[in-house]
Amino acid sequence: MAQPTDSLPYVPPPTDPSDPHYEEHQTMLRESQRNWEYFEAHELEIFEDHPNEIAIVYGGGNVQYCADSHAVGEFLASLEEPHRSAVVFCTNMSADVAWAL
C-alpha cells in the first residue's frame, strides 16, 4: 500500500503534465541522463587527469573538479535549478580502501 504523500519526508516528483513544475523536472531528468552518459564515455579520462579530486559532471558534458567537499558546496551553490539536481558526482574509489555502498 502506498504511503500518503503528505507524510513523506520529501516532495515526490510531479507526474502530471499540467503541474507547473513538471517540465522543469523533465528537463532535470534529461540533463541528468546526458551527464551520466558523458561520465560513462569519459570515466577513465576524468580519473586519470584528476585522480585525487571530486569531479562534477554538469550541463550535459561539462566537468568541474573540486579538491574537497567545501569546494563542491560552493560550486553547487553557483548552479541554478534544475542543473544542480542533475549533476553527477564522480570520485576515484581507491583499490586499497574498503568501501561499503
Side-chain angles (χ1 to χ4, degrees):
M1 178 180 286
Q3 185 173 3
T5 57
D6 60 347
S7 68
L8 293 174
Y10 61 90
V11 176
T15 57
D16 182 356
S18 66
D19 185 312
H21 300 288
Y22 179 81
E23 189 52 43
E24 182 177 289
H25 182 71
Q26 293 302 306
T27 299
M28 183 274 299
L29 292 175
R30 287 188 295 271
E31 184 172 322
S32 181
Q33 183 63 39
R34 287 193 313 271
N35 292 340
W36 181 253
E37 289 169 357
Y38 182 88
F39 168 68
E40 285 185 312
H42 298 88
E43 180 178 7
L44 292 177
E45 171 188 328
I46 288 170
F47 292 134
E48 285 177 358
D49 292 347
H50 300 270
N52 298 319
E53 294 182 285
I54 301 166
I56 302 171
V57 180
Y58 69 101
N62 299 303
V63 182
Q64 174 71 31
Y65 296 97
C66 299
D68 56 31
S69 59
H70 180 72
V72 169
E74 286 182 348
F75 177 72
L76 291 177
S78 75
L79 297 176
E80 294 182 12
E81 286 297 336
H83 308 290
R84 183 180 312 124
S85 294
V87 301
V88 173
F89 296 98
C90 317
T91 59
N92 194 3
M93 297 179 90
S94 176
D96 60 348
V97 176
W99 290 88
L101 300 176

